[in-house]
Amino acid sequence: MRRVGTVVVLFAILLIPTHAFSQSSSRIILLDTFGDYKKGENVFVFGELAQVSPDLYVVTQIVNPNGDLCQIQQLKPLSDGNFVTDPIPLTGKICGLTGKYDVRIFYGDYTASSSFNVKNEKLQEKSSKDYLGSAVSLIESKISS
């Protein structure tokens, strides 16, 4: 009797498609939790794809608080599934508004979404002296390590 039960279980496992046992996690994983940004900052959208198809592109859309399309980019993912957009500047009449922005990622039939906020605070622009100081600090820290 025990043998018949084992055979039935093994037979049932063979009949169930293998994809039923695979993880059904998201095909697009955004690797940033975003948060709050100041006007004038740059946003990068980056993530990872569960499976890469050589003929598909990642399409990234940023929609401003008024529902207007602020930015759209189409990019080819790396062979390991990672992708990153060009910098998206939060400036101007469309992308420099205060409020909640929606991030939408499309890859074939799969989508992912997130959001971030732009505060009513302007990014303090750095002078060339500030950039030089940052570079010197970075080099000093690398040398000391």
Side-chain angles (χ1 to χ4, degrees):
M1 185 69 167
R2 182 176 232 166
R3 207 172 210 178
V4 171
T6 304
V7 170
V8 169
V9 169
L10 290 175
F11 186 70
I13 290 173
L14 291 174
L15 288 178
I16 298 173
T18 56
H19 68 273
F21 290 107
S22 65
Q23 291 183 349
S24 62
S25 64
S26 178
R27 298 287 183 170
I28 305 171
I29 301 165
L30 291 174
L31 299 175
D32 190 2
T33 57
F34 297 104
D36 292 335
Y37 293 90
K38 296 177 183 177
K39 291 181 180 183
E41 281 190 87
N42 286 324
V43 174
F44 293 89
V45 178
F46 51 97
E48 186 177 17
L49 304 170
Q51 188 173 14
V52 178
S53 177
D55 57 337
L56 292 179
Y57 288 87
V58 175
V59 177
T60 304
Q61 293 180 346
I62 308 289
V63 179
N64 75 10
N66 294 339
D68 299 323
L69 187 61
C70 163
Q71 180 77 226
I72 186 166
Q73 292 184 22
Q74 179 177 326
L75 52 119
K76 198 76 167 157
L78 299 173
S79 60
D80 64 359
N82 291 310
F83 64 89
V84 63
T85 62
D86 291 331
I88 301 163
L90 299 174
T91 59
K93 294 180 180 179
I94 297 177
C95 294
L97 301 175
T98 301
K100 180 182 174 189
Y101 287 70
D102 292 321
V103 178
R104 299 176 189 151
I105 308 295
F106 302 93
Y107 187 70
D109 293 333
Y110 303 103
T111 61
S113 61
S114 188
S115 63
F116 63 88
N117 293 305
V118 175
K119 300 186 291 185
N120 196 17
E121 187 178 335
K122 196 167 185 173
L123 178 67
Q124 182 71 26
E125 291 191 33
K126 292 184 178 184
S127 67
S128 58
K129 201 175 205 178
D130 293 332
Y131 281 115
L132 181 61
S134 297
V136 169
S137 296
L138 178 64
I139 291 169
E140 286 174 348
S141 68
K142 294 297 179 185
I143 289 171
S144 66
S145 66

